Amino acid sequence: QQTLSSTTLFKLDSATLSVDGEAELRKLAGYINGLGSRISDIKVTGFTCDLGSEMYNQGLSLRRAQAGAAFLAREGLSSGLMDVSGMGESSPVASNANEAGRSQNRRVEVHIGTTNP
């Protein structure tokens, strides 16, 4: 599992990848590409902090996941292996009581499934 935080991927209320976010995803894509045919699936899941409505955050988290998946596909990963979803604000990894925690909760997670060679 690879978790990428919004501090490098997205600004608040945005699903546009930052330059730093693209660099992080490029490194991850290189790693995944190196696994070759052992890759069985790639799950890209977006998350948000709790600012905004639950419905809005659900959509934003999906747009973040889609942006991450689209970038990974441009880096050579098969979009056919990708499952893209958004979890909204439902799975925080830090407290939403301050900006530092909210920033950690605005993230994309990439889970890589592999098979034995």
Side-chain angles (χ1 to χ4, degrees), residues 5-12 14-18 21 63-65 67-68 106-108:
S5 74
S6 69
T7 56
T8 57
L9 285 182
F10 305 102
K11 293 183 179 178
L12 178 64
S14 174
T16 301
L17 285 165
S18 68
R63 291 189 301 278
R64 286 178 174 169
R106 298 186 301 261
R107 68 194 189 280
V108 170

Side-chain angles (χ1 to χ4, degrees), residues 17-30:
L17 285 165
S18 68
V19 173
D20 290 341
E22 288 181 353
E24 289 296 315
L25 284 176
R26 192 172 288 113
K27 283 192 279 187
L28 179 60

